[in-house]
Amino acid sequence: MMRLPSLQWAAPRTLTELTTRLAADPASTKLLAGGTDLIPNLKRRHQHARQLLWIGKISELQGIQPEASGEVSLGASTTLTAITRSDHLRRHYPGLVRAVASISSPVLRNMGTIGGNLCLDTRCTYYNQSEEWRRSIDYCLKEAGDTCWVAPGSPRCWAISASDSAPLLAAIGAKVSLHSVAGEREIDVEKLFVDDGIQYLAKRPDEVLTRIRLPAVSHSRSTYWKLRRRHSIDFPVLGVGAMVASDGGGRITAARVFLGAVASAPLSVDTSALLGQLPTEELVHTVAERARDLATPLDNTDFTLQWRRRMVHSYVDGALRELCGLPAKVVAPREGRFAIEV
Amino acid sequence: MNADSVTGSFVLNGERKTVAYPEHHTLLEVLREECGLPGTKHGCELGECGTCTVLIEGVPVLSCLVLARQCEDQAIETVEGLESAEGLHPLQVAFADLGAAQCGYCTPGILVTAKALLAANASPTSAEIDEALSGNLCRCTGYRKITEAVDLAAARLRGEDRALPSLSELCGHPHGDHSHE
Amino acid sequence: MSEKPTPKGAMIGTSFRRVDAVAKVTGRTRFADDLNLPRQVHMKLVRSPHPYARIRSIDLAAAKALPGVVGFLTGKDVPEPFGILPVSQDEHALCQDVVRFVGDPVVAVAALTEDQAEEAARLVKVDYEPLETVGSIEEGLLPTSAPLHGHADEGNIHKKITMQFGDVEAGLREADLVLEDVMFYEGNTHLPMEQHASLAVPEGDGRIGIWSSTQTPHYLHRALTKVLGLPASRIRVVAQPNGGGFGGKSDPFHHEICAAKMALNLRRPVKICLTREEVFFCHRGRHPTLMHLRTGFKKDGTITAQHLKTMLDGGGYGSYGVASTYYTGALQCVTYDVPRYRFDGARIFTNKPPCGPKRGHGTPQPRFALEVQLDKAAVALGIDPAELRLKQVQPAGAITANWLKVGSIGLKECIDRVVAGSAWKERRGRLPFGHGLGIACGAYLCGAGLPIYWNHLPHSGVQIKLDRSGGVAVFCGETEIGQGSDSILAACVAEILGIALEDIRLCVADTDLTPVDLGSYSSRVTLMMGNAAIQAAERARDLIAKAVAEEMKLPTTRLVFADRRVFDAENPGVGKSFAEAVQVAEARFGTLGTTGSYTPPRSPGKYRGAGVGPSPAYSYSAAVIEVKVDPETGIVEVPTVWIAHDIGRSLNPTLVVGQVEGSVYMGLGEALMEESAFRRLPKSRSRALVHKFPSMLEYKSPTFVDMPKVVTYLVEDPDPNGPFGAKEVGQGPLLPIMPALCNAIYDAVGVRVDQVPVQPHMILKALEDKRRGGVGRFGPKSFPKLDYGTPLMVPTPKEGGDGRAVNAEEIGIKGGTMTDRPAARTSP
Ligand SMILES: Cc1cc2nc3c(=O)[nH]c(=O)nc-3n(C[C@H](O)[C@H](O)[C@H](O)COP(=O)(O)OP(=O)(O)OC[C@H]3O[C@@H](n4cnc5c(N)ncnc54)[C@H](O)[C@@H]3O)c2cc1C
Ligand code: SF4
Ligand code: FES
Ligand code: FES
């Protein structure tokens, strides 16, 4: 049986207690939320910790709170299941619910949190392996080795940002709050990520992600298209988070598209072609082409990279067609279908 | 017991249980090794197969990813808790009768997951059953008999007097197609 | 026996509840890892991180210093080689001086806790000298590749086979259409949900017992005897119920032998449970296979001749490989009449985990090639693919060109059922673009006709003990792996004795207590154990009948055994309870016990190689698969599978349907996503050659929401060799799935993918090929050159042959098989 290394565990009761304990030794302390990413990583000795601080008991990190402004404040410890079951979110943020419902499997969503999903370690099939396996390739850049096996010769790690919620939250313009003993800051979700497989978060190790603020929605629609092999459990090999807003006359006033799982951070697609326009198949196609040119899928996850690149085009095209009410060209993914319909 | 051993207490299948275990052990290890309940199985210990599913406060979770320390004072239910002095749980009866357990290794995790589903939704459609169980892999059955067994148990739990399927239904034939007999 | 009491069964043919069902749904079934004993220690294996290397030195010092560590084993403690086949005893419980794949075990460590054992394993330092690796079939064929083993036929060609039945070239010349295809079937693995586990227990006076998740306790017993150097009678092997096997637990394994050795050394129980990754390293899964298939067809679609060449990537050791290689050619003629047939097969050693038997053992690959090629022929000749098959189904009792004797064959009816069920005639070729139907068939053995060790001992034995309580104890070496063999054993006995399942106590899979059954492989258990059980039960029934008849002053023929009673057929009120009847017999004869055994009938083939393929009976299946293919993305969805299986007689329809659905599931996994793929790093920087994704997450096993609707048809045509007419169902229904899927893709979008698993990019590439004016195909382009040698020439039955080769001496092959020898016994 795969087991954890010896470690200590504590469950702080307040945010202050948490940030204080974290500040004392950020290098060898890890925050434990649902544990669905951290525990496998510790078992495989990717990540190391002498101490785990379980954040499940901290009230500041909980709850789905609609605000008077029309915004919604999501506690980082909110489970993914709670999000898919929230009537408010289902009504106002169906794109988010769709993205979250597509994450892993129902039992994993009962455990996994939205904060953990945003902080999820980047993934790579040369890395998400046992210690023994990694030893047999002499490790790689992301840990002890000196070569990136996906792109030998490259000075950086290309491990994949595999969070399903990140592209969607970035597309709708959500913000995250980060707390530490030094204070609090709020940044855009897209700024939380850095396109580097190792340093993939702009969050400092002593900071806690406390809440996520969803902007008020009016005249905008969002959706999430996820590509993966199986219809459950699997991580995305491509995620398209898209938001389109239009005026009364149907002209597009805002459009944001983020790609997940094709780089070490969600990638922002140039949608300027759509702005101020009435949507057409040609315009959508143009954006899809830009997305394809932007994506650099590498051979470190399921499926061939050429096909995944092609799918960037198909899925961006598909997601935008869905949002713009244009006829579908490809079959939409059926992820999370039931979780949303109930 | 190791130096890093701690003592914890939770309600296991309705009974208060206090056990000592190494601090870094997961609920899976503590259930199997310290509580003497090996009914909960494991297939990967990394969250990838669903075999180790148990209920914490009625919610299905993967016991290989939960530290036992997180379960302090929580109600935990494992496959061993399904049967009672009154007899087998209707899910167990349906699984036994429909051949939904072949090797039976995935069965404990699937049974408890199905129990949680039926507690939340007394009349799930087949598609909803499949979705709810989609984190649990089974290599033997091809799943169809499991879905049918959950459906049968749900009907019986609702008080319907549902008989076992006929051979034709067992074979998945569309209604009225008896051409195989 | 002339004076048989009248049979009146109640159990057979009904969906009785499995005897182990309640244990399984309550968590009471004890799998190997659920067993624990006082003073037990935990063992871990240190495995090679190198694909091919010489072991220079092993340094245990740091590991020894850890608290809790109690013992080690290295290669020198287990120098005796073993292997499942007598011809390839090429494995060691721990590597001697060379490691041959990443995961090959080198050191065993035992400690008080598993945490400590794992920690200690990490501290073991092994110094290796890496060697040039062989990563593929092509590399293995290079004359420069350094041989992995000394026992190969030639270089890294572990085994070369070539045989010809009739004048194939003449047959091809007579054909109106000759199709030639190169196809590839990727390797895949069993992935049982249970990871292999063992508990070894020293017993007093130098005996050792091992409780293990094995499908073949008998062969583990043999391997332990050999490696431990103890008499077989001092070793006890018990197979716990397996949490799935599918062939993956049918070799004796390193961890089992090491646990036994460690337990003997330490004089205390030793436990090991493999991690999931280690299960991938044990492997013995489907051989990646390249195939070259050339078949001649008449205008009406009938086959004139066929020449099949296969090349198998065997991995680092022999395992069942020689048998697997023969199996890639053995069953090509049992479905359709192939009048002339040539088979060339080769297995190549590579530095990967060894391949072996997985559900269908060696036959799904050539079946895939054949069934896809038939579809192509049907298209080329303008014949309905179902019709083309129906036209040439082998008749019952036929002897094939390669000398296999077909028994009952319900294949025509299978085809008819799935054709009707799927509305094939109305829908195939007429569905909108992107939507299609495909058909394929398959056949499988009901147990290998020859045992692994050639001898004339029974393949399965059953003992029955009856006592005055009315309870019946049944002893048999068979192993429950989920397929329901315990239930079949109990039901066969209950049926004959007219008692209930609750009256029966089973004692199975224990080499100390139970008569040998060779194991749960090659779909042999129902047929062989079933026949043995029937024989033992009939003998018991006859004893009871004799005593009761004497007492009741009736002829034995008037007695009926039913409803837990023995009574007069003409006067059913008059009789005894079963328990009373046993008492009468016990008083009359003394303590009651009977035995039954089964040895398969002789097969007509007498050439070298004729030992692989014969079976007492063959099961048949046909499937139609419906697909929806998105031509923009290449993504395939499968809404429905219709499958008909010729089961002979279904002893328990619920169990049978369960096996069919499970086979469809596994077949779809193989067709669409499962692959044991390997990765080599850039050679300039690394010698690594690793399994791409030895995990449950990245090795894609379909989930609940990936599984289509399955409509099953059970075709019953009782086979005279089967128990109550039954044939196998555990493996056969997998066979048609992969080709039916590819044929459906063709119907949907008009392109061919000649390899599995089918990935979306392959469909897109094939579509692109078609748009550019090509044939619209994705698949391997060429078949490696290899001189298979001069074929063994065996005239076919139609040519008046006698089952022998005519040129064996000439080409230096020793003739004959075991059945050729005079002592071979026929079935009872
Ligand atoms: C089999 C399997 C399949 C999966 N499939 C998917 C998938 O399809 N899509 C997907 O997106 N994910 C998937 N996941 C990953 C994971 O389950 C989810 O991303 C989940 O949301 C992670 O949340 P968690 O609470 O479990 O995180 P944890 O494991 O608890 O934490 C993850 C990381 O975030 C840090 N962290 C957690 N919370 C905070 C916080 N509040 N502040 C600062 N740092 C924090 C932790 O220290 C840790 O480094 C899968 C996991 C498994 C095992
Ligand atoms: S992308 Fe390169 S450096 Fe990063 S984890 Fe993969 S192999 Fe290692
Ligand atoms: S053991 Fe596989 S999910 Fe827990
Ligand atoms: S019944 Fe064997 S894994 Fe599900």
Side-chain angles (χ1 to χ4, degrees):
Chain A
M1 179 168 332
M2 297 269 283
R3 295 177 199 255
L4 286 167
S6 299
L7 43 74
Q8 264 142 31
W9 177 96
R13 295 270 153 177
T14 64
L15 183 56
T16 317
E17 188 192 339
L18 175 68
T19 49
T20 315
R21 292 186 74 149
L22 183 57
D25 187 6
S28 54
T29 304
K30 286 268 177 208
L31 299 189
L32 172 65
T36 59
D37 180 45
L38 182 61
I39 300 293
N41 286 348
L42 291 170
K43 283 189 175 176
R44 284 171 154 168
R45 276 52 174 184
H46 292 144
Q47 291 177 332
H48 304 273
R50 266 204 298 274
Q51 177 180 226
L52 298 184
L53 297 179
W54 186 38
I55 62 174
K57 292 279 171 204
I58 300 171
S59 58
E60 290 99 319
L61 270 57
Q62 274 155 10
I64 301 172
Q65 287 156 17
E67 321 250 296
S69 58
E71 296 177 316
V72 173
S73 168
L74 273 182
S77 296
T78 309
T79 66
L80 304 174
T81 298
I83 291 174
T84 61
R85 296 220 176 123
S86 154
D87 288 334
H88 188 82
L89 296 179
R90 290 158 80 106
R91 193 160 338 112
H92 300 286
Y93 301 89
L96 174 65
V97 172
R98 184 167 179 181
V100 171
S102 79
I103 295 172
S104 60
S105 66
V107 61
L108 278 159
R109 293 198 295 272
N110 289 341
M111 310 175 73
T113 65
I114 187 73
N117 190 249
L118 285 174
C119 298
L120 178 69
D121 193 7
T122 53
R123 299 186 61 84
C124 169
T125 44
Y126 290 85
Y127 175 67
N128 297 102
Q129 304 276 4
S130 75
E131 153 114 77
E132 290 72 24
W133 191 100
R134 277 148 35 226
R135 195 185 308 145
S136 68
I137 62 161
D138 212 5
Y139 304 95
C140 72
L141 268 190
K142 191 160 155 83
E143 48 178 339
D146 48 19
T147 309
C148 167
W149 295 113
V150 172
S154 150
R156 62 162 281 200
C157 163
W158 296 85
I160 291 172
S161 162
S163 161
D164 280 305
S165 73
L168 191 283
L169 288 172
I172 66 174
K175 294 180 189 308
V176 291
S177 298
L178 303 173
H179 272 249
S180 68
V181 284
E184 177 188 358
R185 58 184 179 129
E186 189 181 57
I187 59 174
D188 291 340
V189 163
E190 58 176 302
K191 299 269 168 54
L192 178 64
F193 300 101
V194 181
D195 191 8
D196 180 283
I198 297 168
Q199 288 301 332
Y200 61 96
L201 287 181
K203 181 185 86 58
R204 294 191 313 268
D206 67 325
E207 282 180 318
V208 178
L209 196 166
T210 51
R211 302 200 75 84
I212 298 150
R213 194 145 58 89
L214 308 179
V217 278
S218 52
H219 313 297
S220 72
R221 299 171 299 283
S222 60
T223 190
Y224 184 70
W225 282 41
K226 172 173 180 171
L227 181 63
R228 57 175 163 179
R229 179 87 61 155
R230 300 178 292 182
H231 294 293
S232 185
I233 305 179
D234 286 347
F235 279 93
V237 296
L238 166 67
V240 177
M243 182 277 284
V244 171
S246 34
D247 62 19
R251 274 182 205 284
I252 294 174
T253 54
R256 286 161 65 88
V257 176
F258 280 80
L259 305 178
V262 290
S264 301
L267 294 184
S268 169
V269 177
D270 175 3
T271 56
S272 53
L274 286 171
L275 295 183
Q277 308 288 324
L278 287 171
T280 64
E281 296 194 2
E282 290 68 36
L283 292 174
V284 164
H285 185 78
T286 309
V287 175
E289 278 190 334
R290 294 209 173 132
R292 184 192 48 214
D293 295 345
L294 175 74
T296 49
L298 292 167
D299 184 22
N300 55 356
T301 183
D302 196 13
F303 293 120
T304 66
L305 56 102
Q306 293 84 357
W307 184 73
R308 274 157 48 223
R309 175 192 283 275
R310 183 183 162 132
M311 289 302 290
V312 171
H313 184 281
S314 297
Y315 267 32
V316 169
D317 189 72
L320 286 173
R321 280 166 177 267
E322 178 195 322
L323 294 179
C324 297
L326 296 166
K329 236 173 88 190
V330 300
V331 180
R334 61 173 161 107
E335 270 75 30
R337 166 175 76 169
F338 310 110
I340 301 168
E341 277 166 10
V342 178
Chain B
M1 188 62 48
N2 299 19
D4 61 353
S5 151
V6 293
T7 301
S9 174
F10 40 76
V11 180
L12 180 53
N13 295 325
E15 293 161 14
R16 173 62 66 171
K17 182 97 187 165
T18 303
V19 277
Y21 54 82
E23 181 165 20
H24 63 283
H25 276 196
T26 59
L27 179 59
L28 170 68
E29 292 155 280
V30 173
L31 286 173
R32 289 178 55 84
E33 294 161 10
E34 262 76 36
C35 300
L37 293 186
T40 301
K41 306 300 178 206
H42 57 99
C44 70
E45 304 95 62
L46 295 169
E48 301 173 351
C49 71
T51 312
C52 65
T53 309
V54 300
L55 305 184
I56 298 186
E57 297 294 334
V59 177
V61 297
L62 300 173
S63 62
C64 70
L65 300 185
V66 180
L67 282 151
R69 295 220 60 187
Q70 270 152 258
C71 303
E72 203 56 28
D73 291 330
Q74 305 272 296
I76 293 159
E77 189 171 350
T78 68
V79 68
E80 288 96 344
L82 288 179
E83 190 185 9
S84 69
E86 279 79 66
L88 297 177
H89 187 279
L91 277 164
Q92 293 175 305
V93 174
F95 271 59
D97 284 335
L98 290 189
Q102 286 187 15
C103 79
Y105 199 79
C106 67
T107 311
I110 289 183
L111 280 170
V112 295
T113 312
K115 185 182 178 198
L117 167 71
L118 297 188
N121 179 357
S123 312
T125 62
S126 294
E128 284 166 347
I129 297 170
D130 286 351
E131 166 72 15
L133 295 174
S134 68
N136 297 71
L137 294 177
C138 169
R139 285 292 278 179
C140 299
T141 61
Y143 304 119
R144 294 289 67 105
K145 291 290 161 275
I146 298 176
T147 307
E148 289 161 27
V150 175
D151 183 53
L152 174 64
R156 288 175 172 172
L157 279 165
R158 291 192 300 267
E160 290 169 29
D161 181 20
R162 178 101 67 90
L164 288 176
S166 66
L167 178 54
S168 157
E169 285 162 335
L170 198 68
C171 290
H173 294 276
H175 191 66
D177 176 0
H178 296 284
S179 63
H180 70 286
E181 278 156 349
Chain C
M1 263 169 284
S2 53
E3 288 192 307
K4 276 200 175 181
T6 320
K8 178 174 178 288
M11 199 73 59
I12 293 304
T14 68
S15 284
F16 57 88
R17 190 189 266 185
R18 293 172 69 113
V19 296
D20 51 2
V22 171
K24 281 176 175 170
V25 299
T26 52
R28 283 204 283 268
T29 300
R30 288 289 168 264
F31 298 93
D33 191 39
D34 300 338
L35 305 175
N36 293 293
L37 284 175
R39 293 189 74 244
Q40 128 191 330
V41 296
H42 296 265
M43 191 178 78
K44 284 268 164 199
L45 296 179
V46 179
R47 294 175 182 269
S48 166
H50 294 281
Y52 196 19
R54 204 174 301 286
I55 302 171
R56 281 209 201 95
S57 64
I58 298 174
D59 177 0
L60 303 175
K64 271 189 178 146
L66 265 191
V69 174
V70 295
F72 294 90
L73 297 174
T74 63
K76 64 180 182 347
D77 298 305
V78 279
E80 190 63 30
F82 69 96
I84 182 72
L85 300 188
V87 292
S88 18
Q89 299 283 303
D90 59 2
E91 300 187 57
H92 285 87
L94 294 168
C95 292
Q96 299 298 297
D97 42 11
V98 173
V99 294
R100 294 182 179 84
F101 66 92
V102 171
D104 221 357
V106 180
V107 176
V109 191
L112 299 181
T113 68
E114 195 177 0
D115 285 309
Q116 290 166 332
E118 188 181 337
E119 193 64 38
R122 286 213 166 88
L123 292 180
V124 168
K125 285 196 204 72
V126 185
D127 185 25
Y128 296 96
E129 177 194 333
L131 301 169
E132 202 58 54
T133 57
V134 180
S136 63
I137 289 175
E138 288 76 8
E139 286 179 14
L141 291 176
L142 293 177
T144 53
S145 80
L148 267 67
H149 293 282
H151 67 86
D153 275 357
E154 181 184 316
N156 275 315
I157 304 172
H158 172 198
K159 182 72 192 169
K160 247 174 28 171
I161 299 163
T162 170
M163 41 177 87
Q164 170 150 319
F165 308 90
D167 190 343
V168 170
E169 288 308 317
L172 292 172
R173 279 195 302 274
E174 280 167 26
D176 298 314
L177 169 74
V178 175
L179 291 183
E180 188 172 341
D181 283 291
V182 184
M183 307 211 191
F184 179 61
Y185 200 114
E186 181 57 286
N188 53 52
T189 202
H190 322 80
L191 206 81
M193 294 305 293
E194 177 208 26
Q195 300 138 314
H196 308 47
S198 308
L199 175 63
V201 187
E203 296 180 340
D205 46 302
R207 288 173 51 87
I208 179 81
I210 181 163
W211 280 251
S212 195
S213 33
T214 175
Q215 300 177 234
T216 51
H218 173 66
Y219 294 111
L220 175 57
H221 196 208
R222 279 181 179 267
L224 285 169
T225 305
K226 187 167 185 232
V227 181
L228 300 179
L230 289 175
S233 59
R234 298 248 288 280
I235 300 171
R236 176 180 188 186
V237 178
V238 181
Q240 288 303 111
N242 286 203
F246 316 111
K249 295 169 182 165
S250 39
D251 284 57
F253 282 106
H254 313 84
H255 63 272
E256 297 175 309
I257 298 171
C258 288
K261 181 74 185 173
M262 188 76 90
L264 281 170
N265 282 6
L266 299 178
R267 306 178 74 87
R268 61 197 292 183
V270 173
K271 170 85 166 279
I272 181 165
C273 180
L274 302 187
T275 64
R276 176 54 59 184
E277 180 180 81
E278 290 180 288
V279 174
F280 277 93
F281 292 155
C282 286
H283 193 47
R284 321 288 155 152
R286 183 95 61 232
H287 284 77
T289 303
L290 257 172
M291 292 161 288
H292 182 273
L293 184 64
R294 199 153 62 106
T295 309
F297 297 88
K298 283 285 186 198
K299 279 207 181 66
D300 68 356
T302 51
I303 295 170
T304 62
Q306 180 166 113
H307 182 182
L308 168 70
K309 291 195 272 186
T310 66
M311 228 174 255
L312 292 73
D313 182 341
Y317 292 91
S319 181
Y320 281 82
V322 170
S324 316
T325 311
Y326 273 108
Y327 272 126
T328 60
L331 299 192
Q332 285 300 85
C333 309
V334 296
T335 40
Y336 318 110
D337 182 16
V338 178
R340 282 166 278 203
Y341 176 56
R342 173 161 174 186
F343 167 59
D344 301 328
R347 181 180 194 259
I348 317 297
F349 281 129
T350 56
N351 292 112
K352 304 179 200 169
C355 297
K358 183 189 171 196
R359 212 172 199 170
H361 194 188
T363 71
Q365 299 98 319
R367 173 60 54 185
F368 170 74
L370 171 59
E371 296 289 330
V372 170
Q373 197 176 62
L374 288 181
D375 206 64
K376 294 182 181 182
V379 171
L381 297 167
I383 304 173
D384 178 325
E387 290 303 323
L388 179 134
R389 288 171 168 83
L390 280 170
K391 201 166 276 175
Q392 46 197 328
V393 166
Q394 286 280 21
I399 295 182
T400 66
N402 61 337
W403 292 91
L404 300 183
K405 188 168 188 311
V406 172
S408 65
I409 171 166
L411 183 55
K412 277 191 177 161
E413 201 176 338
C414 287
I415 296 174
D416 288 341
R417 290 289 171 83
V418 293
V419 161
S422 63
W424 169 266
K425 293 246 160 66
E426 301 78 63
R427 299 205 297 154
R428 186 204 65 110
R430 307 211 177 114
L431 292 168
F433 187 69
H435 193 173
L437 293 177
I439 192 168
C441 302
Y444 201 65
L445 315 165
C446 304
L450 281 190
I452 288 174
Y453 285 81
W454 285 7
N455 58 42
H456 301 292
L457 302 168
H459 292 215
S460 188
V462 170
Q463 280 178 334
I464 292 181
K465 185 205 80 168
L466 303 138
D467 66 59
R468 52 195 84 171
S469 71
V472 173
V474 182
F475 299 80
C476 177
E478 65 82 11
T479 304
E480 172 65 57
I481 61 169
Q483 85 280 45
S485 54
D486 283 2
S487 303
I488 296 303
L489 176 61
C492 286
V493 173
E495 182 81 359
I496 301 291
L497 296 180
I499 55 178
L501 291 176
E502 302 87 81
D503 300 325
I504 293 179
R505 292 286 165 276
L506 297 181
C507 174
V508 300
D510 182 332
T511 59
D512 261 14
L513 303 179
T514 62
V516 168
D517 172 276
L518 294 178
S520 288
Y521 64 95
S522 95
S523 277
R524 48 174 300 289
V525 181
T526 290
L527 189 134
M528 301 198 187
M529 171 203 75
N531 279 323
I534 289 172
Q535 189 180 56
E538 284 180 349
R539 287 174 175 169
R541 183 198 57 196
D542 292 349
L543 277 180
I544 299 169
K546 189 157 193 280
V548 172
E550 275 173 24
E551 203 197 85
M552 290 174 62
K553 309 209 170 12
L554 289 170
T556 48
T557 42
R558 282 257 298 268
L559 291 181
V560 177
F561 284 65
D563 305 327
R564 303 164 115 164
R565 289 180 67 233
V566 181
F567 56 88
D568 180 358
E570 286 168 19
N571 196 357
V574 177
K576 295 180 181 303
S577 72
F578 182 74
E580 288 164 355
V582 171
Q583 288 162 15
V584 172
E586 195 175 337
R588 167 81 172 74
F589 298 113
T591 300
L592 297 174
T594 61
T595 61
S597 52
Y598 182 77
T599 310
R602 284 178 199 227
S603 110
K606 295 182 172 58
Y607 56 91
R608 160 88 170 255
V612 180
S615 177
Y618 299 90
S619 76
Y620 293 88
S621 335
V624 168
I625 295 186
E626 179 176 3
V627 296
K628 286 188 172 161
V629 183
D630 184 342
E632 286 293 315
T633 63
I635 294 175
V636 177
E637 290 270 347
V638 178
T640 312
V641 174
W642 294 265
I643 180 154
H645 184 70
D646 164 22
I647 179 70
R649 167 120 190 257
S650 81
L651 302 183
N652 176 328
T654 298
L655 288 184
V656 173
V657 173
Q659 288 298 315
V660 172
E661 290 177 356
S663 297
V664 169
Y665 167 79
M666 201 165 273
L668 285 171
E670 296 194 16
L672 287 167
M673 50 185 92
E674 294 183 34
E675 52 180 334
S676 294
F678 288 78
R679 214 194 258 296
R680 181 175 243 153
L681 301 187
K683 271 196 166 172
S684 56
R685 292 170 186 261
S686 166
R687 287 176 185 261
L689 171 58
V690 283
H691 193 295
K692 246 179 164 177
F693 22 61
S695 74
M696 292 287 241
L697 176 62
E698 296 299 338
Y699 181 89
K700 304 297 184 188
S701 178
T703 72
F704 265 90
V705 287
D706 299 301
M707 183 66 189
K709 178 175 161 54
V710 180
V711 182
T712 305
Y713 304 89
L714 302 181
V715 170
E716 301 204 287
D717 175 7
D719 192 283
N721 283 340
F724 306 106
K727 302 200 278 192
E728 76 86 40
V729 62
Q731 314 196 59
L734 175 136
L735 288 146
I737 301 303
M738 296 69 59
L741 181 98
C742 287
N743 294 342
I745 289 171
Y746 178 79
D747 190 43
V749 290
V751 296
R752 296 281 175 191
V753 177
D754 285 345
Q755 71 183 62
V756 286
V758 176
Q759 310 234 33
H761 76 270
M762 299 174 181
I763 296 179
L764 293 186
K765 283 239 166 82
L767 282 166
E768 204 172 292
D769 179 41
K770 193 167 183 186
R771 263 196 303 278
R772 293 218 183 106
V775 289
R777 168 185 183 270
F778 186 96
K781 298 212 164 59
S782 65
F783 190 83
K785 275 210 163 52
L786 172 67
D787 178 6
Y788 286 89
T790 311
L792 189 68
M793 303 293 249
V794 184
T796 66
K798 279 181 196 146
E799 289 171 343
D802 61 358
R804 285 185 171 70
V806 292
N807 65 339
E809 249 104 277
E810 224 170 288
I811 60 174
I813 285 182
K814 272 194 254 109
T817 73
M818 192 194 91
T819 48
D820 214 10
R821 290 178 232 159
R825 260 188 39 203
T826 48
S827 84

